[in-house]
Amino acid sequence: MAQAEKKTSVAIIGSGMGGLCMAIKLLEAGYKNIVIYEKASSLGGTWRDNTYPGSGCDVPSHLYSFSFEPNANWSRKFAKQEEILHYMQHCAEKYQITRLIQFNTEIVSANFDEESGTWQLHDKNKQYEAQILVCACGQLNRPALPNLPGIQSFSGKAFHSANWQHDYELTDKKIAVIGTGASAIQFIPQIAKKAGKLHIFQRSPNWMIPKPDRKYFSFEHKLLNLFPILTRFYRYSIYCSLEVRFSAFFKGSIVARLFEKWAAYNMRKQLKTEELQQAMLPDYPIGCKRILISNDYYPALNQDNVVLHRNAVTAIHAEGVTIKEDDSDKNIKVDTIIFGTGFESTSFLAPMQVTGLNDTKLNNAWNDGAEAYYGMTVAGFPNFFMLYGPNTNLGHNSIIFMIESQVRYIIQCLAQLEKQQADYLHVDDKKMSTFNNKIQQAIRNSVWDSGCSSWYKTASGKITNNWPHFTLQYWWQTRKPDFSFYHFQKVEKSTTD
Ligand code: NAP
């Protein structure tokens, strides 16, 4: 149903899944004054950036898509990057979002002006203004490079998985891959097919389970197109089957022990030497780091041109990398280094400077680790919202479900502002800190707190990324904002006006 046009201006930062969803639902709710600021020259966020060979989603596509825009034609169960990006471009066109995106605009700072009740945004050239600021920057958008001595001195080609150099030919090259997380296990099998020699440097092994992937048959496409209700039902069944897996994320869970046995059995079955089998067995409970899914990573490790090193790289030099072996340095010559070393996941919006009431800087407020109320609002930062913010990441289900819950919540906040004829709202700091204490308490009962290193943790060990409950709980608790947790304020009009 068409809504009356609303004047409130909304700035969204980022045109990934979150930014698109926010803009689509704002338009639907009658907000027309929307700008999406995008630092790159095209939309897509993580699915625009991560074009490495084999890049794809480890959540089934019927669930890793918007509930309001089902796609009966996904080519396979776990879509590859190109198809997901194509889906996002389709959504942007269909819902007329592309025209709202201002490309090549990286917002470097955002300051809340109390007098006007507006956000003043800056890129390197200009200033922009909006009443509402929604940051949809994601948690994994800034590639992390290891802090290794000599990293600049390498004379060959070096790049990060999120910045793949497609023009650079890898055939017959001697390649070093540093890092063995979710990205690396997708590109390693692809480059192992062509590398002359592939050295993989693993700091710690991951739990991995088979990927139940396959192409969809054309009769399945026909059936889903003919009966759209079946597409919805299918999506719902995937959601339920993933949601129950959360029971494996409690510390000491029996379900997790069974999962571990199954994962270890699959690993042993696929790796041909005992040495490899030992190297690939994690010493921490399953789920502590993100569980990886793959059918081609273990077979790639068996290849004759692939060497798995259990010793972390200690330095990089002009001709390759150095590792410690039997207490002495060993140099390995390579002509290419690929960093699969992940992202700066715990600094969230940094390096963007966000300044709220009383000149408070968000980065200072988050000195001890980022926190927010349901990952969306922060005390002292009025009319400021985040999508996929602190403690909303999942280890077991689709982030799109969380994003849609957040978008619904934010739109209700905007409606309430209008209803109360207020200029801005901000969450109460005591309520927010009580909420976060509970989150951290729940995290202590989760498997993430089991003594492994992971991108969910800050350097001091605080888990700032994950939601420690079922997603159904998140949906239930955010379906209707409790406005008694918020302060609503009007801008004081100057008497000289
Ligand atoms: P990641 O999971 O954080 O893995 C980084 C890897 O680099 C780990 O093996 C880590 O070792 C290693 N590493 C980090 N710093 C290092 C250093 N200084 N020296 C040596 N090794 C170092 O990063 P990612 O693989 O890019 O994946 C990040 C996340 O992106 C995933 O968990 C997932 O949520 C998302 N992702 C999703 C998909 C998908 O299918 N949906 C695909 C790719 C990525 P340690 O484990 O020992 O720390």
Side-chain angles (χ1 to χ4, degrees), residues 22-131:
M22 188 77 240
I24 292 169
K25 290 292 157 186
L26 279 169
L27 280 181
E28 237 174 65
Y31 295 89
K32 302 281 182 256
N33 194 353
I34 306 166
V35 182
I36 304 179
Y37 297 102
E38 169 53 61
K39 67 178 182 207
S41 56
S42 59
L43 64 81
T46 201
W47 298 109
R48 172 201 59 224
D49 295 342
N50 286 275
T51 60
Y52 57 76
S55 173
C57 192
D58 55 14
V59 174
S61 305
H62 276 274
L63 189 61
Y64 195 87
S65 44
F66 298 128
S67 60
F68 53 84
E69 187 57 28
N71 173 16
N73 299 316
W74 286 112
S75 67
R76 56 189 313 122
K77 224 169 154 186
F78 293 85
K80 297 286 182 205
Q81 172 264 339
E82 299 92 333
E83 196 174 5
I84 302 169
L85 185 60
H86 187 258
Y87 169 82
M88 294 172 79
Q89 288 159 345
H90 154 81
C91 291
E93 286 309 310
K94 176 171 173 183
Y95 293 92
Q96 301 183 28
I97 303 302
T98 317
R99 69 194 163 89
L100 305 176
I101 309 177
Q102 185 173 319
F103 291 107
N104 302 307
T105 308
E106 179 168 7
I107 300 298
V108 291
S109 68
N111 305 313
F112 186 72
D113 176 34
E114 227 172 309
E115 273 180 31
S116 61
T118 58
W119 281 96
Q120 304 294 321
L121 313 176
H122 301 88
D123 70 355
K124 62 179 188 300
N125 303 313
K126 276 196 190 146
Q127 178 164 332
Y128 312 94
E129 185 178 281
Q131 286 159 286

Side-chain angles (χ1 to χ4, degrees), residues 130-155:
Q131 286 159 286
I132 309 293
L133 174 60
V134 182
C135 286
C137 310
Q139 294 190 2
L140 303 163
N141 60 34
R142 270 166 307 107
L145 289 176
N147 190 11
L148 288 169
I151 191 166
Q152 300 300 342
S153 65
F154 182 59
S155 59

